[in-house]
């Protein structure tokens, strides 16, 4: 009785691929990649390519089909194209159908033989199953949302003009130039038309800088550089996908041509604006609604995390399928709103865990997608015909480099008078950091899976796209670290260096206290304690010396010492606002206003100006409410609404002054610690402390004036704020008792439910000003 090699199903293949890839990714991440300057994602892609080469080699020797060698035409059959989404293991023309009906099997295949057959079947299934739909609907929403979530929306807005220039005109320029180079370099000889050439230009215009963004974080590159590179990628992905869909209609003949071509292009431009704008609106609305729901959920982290995942996928699916607008743009806006507006809907511990969770998801998705990219490149490309398009690939890469240089170096200087100047070193990194990756490959696979496009054209597009992806990952990504070092962008800023050395002094003080306790307890040998004390005294002295050098460096530029001190103080204030909002002493509205005020002060300090005497707060909302109140007061029927709005306005003012007082007080305490450690010279610290003390004093005086004018209302607001802070303290104490086992599960559940009930009541009071 003959026993055929039993193929694995698609579901089981998917599970096995995920397990094997994640295990391999963990091992790769633990490897000393920095020593060979190999980015993690590039290493995973190379591993995927090696697996693909191994699978193809084993197939040539009959594995995956049976024990006898399989004819060459059978082995090469899967390379002729990409499996359709509807194709599965039962389809007559599929790889598994061939393997299950093959008679070249032994009666009793060995265990090793069966394992190798399963290995080949699993990864061939993974290669056949990597469709554009899978990339765009499974991987892209998570990767885009995570990138946008971890970006500062304020920084994106500040750099929106250069990002937009690169994401719109930059993509168009790259598309046209790449298409033109393709035609001039002999594309017509391969049957390529202008429509196909432009379509390919769009495919390779979508950047994927994940490999270099990770390097930025490791090397401590400037934050603005990361914002520009990653922000461009997020928006030009959406631009490229929209342009791709428009041009694909021309390629397959569903768009107007000839006399109606110009009208069709105009219609396409209007469609582009509608799709991009519509995607932005969908993302904003869904994120706002989602975080309103998340904010109303008390202390239930699993549900909050689950809702953010729903938000990422729902933004993409609803935008694409319900409204037929850009899903990528929708996810970008949803992520940006979540990372800014949503942060204050979470406690400090929840916020940290949420960020770590999304970083974990991004690690998983990047590992899978880059492995599959390497696997597909190894298994789907006909490398024997690769040499035929090699000259065309070289011309295309040169064209892309030239287009990238023009879009970066040609446009950034023109924006000098409109936005903050983009350093030439940043421009050089942005130019070289234009990597291509998963989105481009997904669009190329879409071409392969689209009926009506000749097979030879499909293969050329896929081959050239894979060549561009490989070139940017193996050349640009691997040379990025030397470029950053050469340009001096790997060195932390002077503010970061001040913060590092101040932290070093704080650490030494903490260790000294521990060693003092050890001496009192007399449990450790005195000579061992003395040895440790000597080591930390050396570290403390080294930190003091480095701080002296930093103060000397800062003193060479007029006003630089005060700018550094101001930046450090404002960073402390933002941390203080987040912490005090988390423990319930600062309301959400007040925290949001204070954080916005801190951001505006950061801009003032960075421009070389001193901190202003009057604290800059966002008065636009208050002015709008004042005008609304004036309008409503003239309508007697609206008295009830006017009274409620005035009550809420007074409550918000009290909450804001209360929050400003607490935040300024916290900064003052931290600055005193810096004064003791001599981080910044005393005169500079004194000026910064005086400014924060003046804001603290004015906030206290304003609260007292409001209390004199509206004693009952102010007392009610203060009582609610006090009750909220006390309630959070109760919650922390009960949670601690439960963690150490001094509160039973039943008692904890009952207490926790009661805390949630009281928290909801208080949040309602804070929202209404009651």
């Amino acid at each position: 009785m003959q026993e055929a090699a039993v193929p694995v199903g698609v579901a089981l293949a998917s599970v096995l691929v995920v397990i094997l890839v994640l295990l391999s990714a963990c091992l790769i991440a633990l490897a000393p990649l920095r020593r060979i300057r190999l980015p993690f994602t590039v290493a995973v892609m190379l591993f995927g390519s090696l697996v693909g080469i191994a699978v193809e080699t084993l197939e040539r020797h009959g594995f995956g089909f049976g024990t006898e060698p399989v004819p060459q035409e059978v082995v090469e059959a899967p390379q002729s194209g990409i499996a359709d989404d509807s194709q599965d293991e039962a389809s007559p023309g599929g790889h598994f159908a061939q393997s299950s009906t093959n008679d070249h099997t032994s009666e009793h295949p060995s265990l090793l033989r069966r394992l190798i057959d399963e290995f080949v079947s699993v990864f061939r299934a993974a290669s056949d199953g990597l469709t554009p739909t899978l990339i765009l609907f499974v991987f892209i929403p998570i990767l885009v949302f995570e990138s946008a979530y971890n970006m500062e929306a304020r920084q994106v807005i500040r750099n929106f003009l250069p990002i937009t220039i690169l994401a719109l005109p930059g993509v168009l320029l790259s598309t046209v130039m790449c298409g033109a180079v393709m035609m001039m370099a002999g594309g017509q000889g391969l049957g390529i038309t202008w429509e196909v050439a432009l379509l390919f230009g769009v495919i390779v215009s979508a950047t994927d800088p994940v490999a270099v963004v990770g390097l930025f974080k490791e090397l401590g590159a400037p934050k603005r550089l990361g914002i520009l590179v990653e922000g461009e990628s997020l928006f030009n992905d959406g631009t490229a996908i929209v342009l791709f869909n428009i041009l694909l209609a021309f390629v397959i003949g569903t768009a107007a041509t000839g006399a109606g071509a110009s009208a069709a292009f105009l219609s396409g431009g209007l469609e582009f604006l509608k799709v991009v704008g519509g995607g932005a609106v969908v993302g904003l609305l869904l994120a706002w609604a989602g975080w309103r729901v998340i904010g109303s959920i008390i202390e239930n982290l699993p549900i909050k995390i689950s809702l953010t995942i729903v938000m990422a996928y729902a933004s993409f699916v609803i935008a694409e399928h319900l409204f037929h607008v850009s899903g990528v743009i929708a996810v970008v806006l949803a992520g940006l709103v979540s990372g800014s507006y949503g942060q204050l809907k979470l406690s400090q511990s929840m916020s940290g865990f949420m960020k770590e969770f999304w970083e974990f998801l991004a690690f998983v998705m990047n590992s899978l997608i880059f492995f599959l990219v390497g696997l597909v490149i190894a298994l789907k490309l006909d490398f024997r015909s690769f040499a035929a398009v090699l000259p065309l690939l070289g011309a295309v890469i040169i064209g892309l480099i030239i287009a990238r240089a023009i879009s970066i170096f040609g446009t950034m200087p023109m924006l000098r008078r409109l936005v903050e100047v983009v350093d030439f070193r940043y421009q050089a990194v942005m130019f070289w950091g234009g990597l291509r990756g998963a989105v481009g490959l997904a669009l190329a696979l879409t071409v392969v899976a689209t009926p009506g496009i000749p097979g030879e054209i499909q293969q050329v597009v896929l081959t050239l796209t894979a060549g561009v992806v490989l070139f940017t990952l193996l050349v640009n990504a691997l040379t990025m670290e030397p470029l950053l070092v050469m340009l001096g962008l790997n060195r932390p800023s002077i503010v970061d260096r001040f913060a590092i050395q101040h932290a070093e002094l704080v650490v030494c003080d903490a260790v000294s206290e521990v060693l003092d306790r050890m001496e009192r307890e007399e449990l450790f040998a005195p000579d061992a304690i003395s040895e440790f004390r000597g080591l930390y005294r050396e570290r403390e002295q080294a930190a003091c010396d480095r701080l002296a050098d930093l103060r000397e460096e800062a003193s060479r530029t007029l006003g630089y010492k005060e700018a550094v001190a101001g930046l450090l103080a404002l960073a402390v204030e933002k941390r203080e606002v987040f912490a005090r909002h988390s423990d319930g002493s600062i309301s959400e509205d007040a925290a949001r206003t204070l954080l916005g005020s801190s951001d505006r002060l950061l801009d003032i300090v960075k421009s070389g100006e001193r901190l202003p005497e009057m604290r800059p707060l966002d008065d636009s909302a208050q002015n709008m409410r004042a005008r609304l109140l004036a309008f409503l007061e003239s309508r007697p029927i609206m008295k009830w609404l006017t009274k409620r709005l005035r009550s809420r306005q007074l409550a918000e003012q009290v909450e804001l002054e209360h929050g400003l007082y607490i935040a300024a007080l916290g900064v003052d305490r931290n600055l005193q610690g810096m004064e003791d450690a001599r981080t910044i010279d005393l005169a500079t610290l004194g000026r910064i402390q005086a400014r924060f003390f003046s804001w603290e004093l004015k906030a206290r005086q304003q609260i007292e004036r409001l209390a004199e004018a509206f004693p009952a209302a102010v007392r009610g607001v203060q009582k609610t704020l006090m009750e909220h802070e006390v309630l959070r303290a109760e919650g922390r104490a009960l949670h601690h008792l439960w963690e150490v086992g001094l509160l039973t599960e039943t008692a904890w559940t009952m207490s926790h439910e009661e805390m949630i009930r009281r928290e909801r009541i208080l949040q309602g009071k804070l929202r209404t000003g009651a």
Side-chain angles (χ1 to χ4, degrees):
M1 177 180 175
Q2 288 188 338
E3 185 177 324
V6 180
V8 295
V10 171
L12 180 56
S14 302
V15 173
L16 290 174
V17 167
V18 170
I19 292 172
L20 292 172
V21 171
L22 288 183
L23 177 60
S24 303
C26 291
L27 295 175
I28 291 171
L30 293 172
L33 298 177
R34 284 294 305 278
R35 294 182 183 177
I36 55 176
R37 295 178 176 176
L38 186 65
F40 166 74
T41 49
V42 178
V44 172
M45 185 206 68
L46 292 175
F47 175 68
S49 298
L50 290 175
V51 171
I53 293 170
V55 168
E56 189 171 27
T57 303
L58 290 169
E59 283 181 338
R60 292 184 186 277
H61 290 82
F63 290 96
F65 296 91
T67 57
E68 299 294 330
V70 180
Q72 187 71 15
E73 61 271 15
V74 176
V75 177
E76 293 177 356
Q79 296 179 359
S80 60
I82 304 299
D84 188 79
D85 287 354
S86 61
Q87 182 178 346
D88 58 25
E89 63 269 28
S91 60
H95 164 69
F96 294 130
Q98 292 172 355
S99 61
S100 62
T101 58
N102 188 3
D103 292 327
H104 299 284
T105 56
S106 63
E107 291 188 9
H108 301 287
S110 66
L111 176 60
L112 178 61
R113 173 70 199 222
R114 292 200 302 271
L115 288 174
I116 296 175
D117 284 342
E118 290 296 321
F119 170 83
V120 172
S121 298
V122 163
F123 287 104
R124 173 60 73 176
S127 172
D128 291 341
L130 185 63
T131 62
T133 302
L134 181 69
I135 295 175
L136 292 175
F137 282 82
V138 176
F139 292 103
I140 295 302
I142 293 295
L143 294 174
V144 169
F145 188 90
E146 188 271 340
S147 293
Y149 183 83
N150 287 313
M151 294 175 70
E152 292 184 24
R154 168 181 164 271
Q155 293 293 339
V156 174
I157 293 171
R158 285 187 62 197
N159 295 283
F160 186 71
L161 188 57
I163 288 173
T164 306
I165 292 294
L166 295 174
L168 292 176
V171 170
L172 288 172
L173 174 65
S174 176
T175 298
V176 173
M177 183 167 288
C178 182
V181 168
M182 195 175 192
M183 296 303 290
M184 290 187 295
Q188 288 178 325
L190 297 173
I192 295 173
T193 62
W194 269 100
E195 290 85 355
V196 173
L198 291 174
L199 185 70
F200 172 73
V202 169
I203 289 173
V204 294
S205 294
T207 59
D208 184 3
V210 62
V212 298
V213 169
L215 195 61
F216 290 170
K217 295 175 182 178
E218 290 178 12
L219 296 177
K223 182 181 290 187
R224 190 185 184 209
L225 177 59
I227 293 289
L228 289 169
V229 171
E230 201 164 5
E232 177 207 354
S233 171
L234 289 175
F235 284 95
N236 75 14
D237 281 352
T239 302
I241 291 173
V242 174
L243 288 175
F244 174 84
N245 290 327
I246 293 172
L247 287 171
L248 186 62
F250 284 92
V251 172
I252 62 179
T254 59
T257 55
S262 59
F265 274 110
L266 177 60
S267 174
L270 295 175
E271 178 71 9
F272 174 82
L273 294 177
K274 185 200 85 172
V275 168
V276 172
V281 171
V282 169
L284 285 171
L285 291 178
L286 283 176
W288 178 82
W291 281 100
R292 292 284 292 183
V293 173
I294 292 172
S296 66
I297 300 171
I298 309 298
E299 292 296 328
N300 200 319
L301 187 57
I303 292 179
K304 293 188 177 188
I305 289 176
S306 300
L307 287 176
T308 59
I309 297 175
V310 169
M311 194 185 303
Y313 281 114
S315 300
F316 191 90
V317 173
I318 290 174
E320 289 284 339
H321 279 275
L322 188 59
F323 295 105
H324 305 292
V325 293
S326 174
V328 173
I329 297 296
V331 177
V332 169
L333 269 297
L336 288 173
V337 171
S338 299
S340 54
Y341 174 78
Q343 287 294 310
L344 291 173
K345 299 290 185 181
L346 303 169
S347 66
Q348 199 170 22
S349 58
M350 280 188 180
S351 180
F353 187 85
M354 184 78 77
K355 184 176 180 180
E356 291 175 357
F357 172 80
W358 275 99
E359 287 177 353
F360 159 73
L361 273 188
F363 171 81
V364 171
M365 292 299 184
N366 273 318
S367 300
L368 291 171
I369 192 63
F370 275 91
F371 174 86
L372 292 172
V373 165
L375 189 70
V376 165
I377 288 174
L379 290 177
K380 293 296 181 185
L381 295 186
D382 185 359
F383 287 96
R384 291 174 303 174
S385 61
F386 191 79
V389 297
L390 197 57
L392 183 58
L393 175 61
V396 166
I397 290 173
I398 293 172
L400 281 174
I401 291 174
I402 294 173
R404 184 76 178 166
I406 294 173
S407 62
I408 297 290
F409 299 115
T411 58
M412 293 300 105
M414 296 170 59
L415 304 176
R416 187 180 300 272
R417 295 187 178 182
L418 301 176
V419 295
E420 183 182 349
V421 176
V422 178
D423 193 300
F424 182 80
R425 297 174 301 166
Y426 293 10
Q427 296 177 39
V429 173
M430 293 163 66
F431 159 68
W432 199 241
L435 278 62
R436 272 66 174 177
V439 172
L441 189 66
L443 298 180
L445 291 174
T446 302
V447 172
V448 173
T450 301
I453 300 178
E456 58 273 15
I457 298 298
Q458 294 176 340
Q459 189 64 33
V460 168
V461 170
L462 182 60
T463 302
L464 290 176
T465 303
V468 170
V469 170
L470 281 173
F471 177 85
T472 58
L473 289 176
L474 297 179
V475 177
N476 296 53
L478 295 183
T479 55
M480 181 54 68
E481 183 174 350
L483 178 63
L484 288 168
V485 173
M486 183 182 72
L487 296 174
L489 294 174
N490 63 319
R491 191 184 183 202
S493 69
I494 190 169
V495 177
D496 293 327
R497 284 179 280 153
F498 263 112
I500 290 169
Q501 300 311 319
H502 175 67
E504 183 77 354
L505 293 178
V506 172
V507 166
C508 290
D509 288 341
V511 170
S512 179
E513 292 179 6
V514 171
L515 294 175
D516 289 342
R517 177 180 57 78
M518 290 178 178
E519 279 185 337
R520 290 193 301 270
E521 293 172 348
E522 298 181 350
L523 290 176
F524 296 96
D527 57 336
I529 294 175
S530 299
E531 182 179 349
F532 270 99
R533 196 182 295 279
L535 289 173
Y536 278 89
R537 280 176 179 167
E538 289 178 6
R539 284 180 59 176
E540 182 179 7
Q541 185 57 49
C544 290
D545 293 341
R546 285 191 286 268
L547 281 170
D549 294 338
L550 287 171
R551 285 194 292 270
E552 177 63 26
E553 182 180 341
S555 66
R556 297 188 194 120
T557 304
L558 185 63
Y560 203 56
K561 288 191 294 183
E562 191 157 334
V564 170
L567 290 171
L568 286 172
L570 290 168
V572 169
E573 182 185 77
K574 294 183 74 171
R575 185 203 64 196
E576 193 75 15
V577 170
F578 275 116
R580 300 308 294 270
H581 167 65
S582 182
D583 67 22
S585 57
I586 297 181
S587 68
E588 181 182 327
D589 290 336
R592 186 165 286 113
T593 302
L594 287 171
L595 291 173
S597 173
S598 298
D599 289 337
R600 285 187 289 277
L601 287 170
L602 283 170
D603 293 336
I604 291 173
V605 171
K606 286 179 181 178
S607 66
E609 300 179 30
R610 291 188 173 186
L611 293 173
E613 184 176 348
M614 297 299 297
R615 178 75 184 222
L617 299 173
D618 186 9
D619 297 325
S620 56
Q622 293 183 7
N623 292 335
M624 288 179 61
R625 182 169 292 177
R627 286 194 291 269
L628 178 61
L629 284 171
F631 171 78
L632 293 175
E633 282 177 339
S634 62
R635 278 37 175 201
I637 197 172
M638 293 293 185
K639 274 189 176 181
W640 65 273
L641 181 58
T642 305
K643 183 178 179 181
R644 185 166 183 174
L645 287 175
R646 285 208 176 277
S647 175
R648 182 62 199 138
Q649 185 181 36
L650 176 62
E652 286 181 356
Q653 191 173 359
V654 174
E655 291 169 11
L656 179 58
E657 299 295 343
H658 176 80
L660 179 56
Y661 175 80
I662 290 176
L665 192 62
V667 172
D668 190 31
R669 284 197 301 266
N670 278 275
L671 290 181
Q672 287 176 9
M674 291 185 183
E675 180 180 326
D676 295 338
R678 299 299 299 271
T679 305
I680 307 290
D681 67 273
L682 296 179
T684 304
L685 266 181
R687 289 192 293 271
I688 300 297
Q689 282 178 295
R691 182 60 68 223
F692 275 89
F693 179 74
S694 71
W695 292 339
E696 175 189 332
L697 184 61
K698 288 174 182 177
R700 186 183 185 90
Q701 290 172 345
Q702 181 64 14
I703 292 173
E704 291 172 353
R705 282 194 291 268
L706 290 172
E708 289 178 4
F710 311 99
V714 171
R715 186 176 182 278
V717 174
Q718 290 179 330
K719 184 179 177 182
T720 302
L721 288 171
M722 183 175 65
E723 189 177 354
H724 196 217
E725 187 171 357
V726 168
L727 183 62
R728 291 284 177 90
E730 284 185 39
R732 290 193 298 272
L734 288 171
H735 189 265
H736 174 71
L737 290 174
W738 175 67
E739 281 184 325
V740 299
L742 295 178
L743 197 65
T744 65
E745 192 71 32
T746 302
W748 160 249
T749 301
M750 294 174 62
S751 302
H752 189 57
E753 288 177 352
E754 174 62 17
M755 298 292 295
I756 290 174
R757 186 190 67 80
R758 292 168 60 190
E759 178 86 14
R760 285 200 180 102
I761 294 173
L762 280 174
Q763 283 195 355
K765 289 182 179 180
L766 288 170
R767 281 194 296 269
T768 61

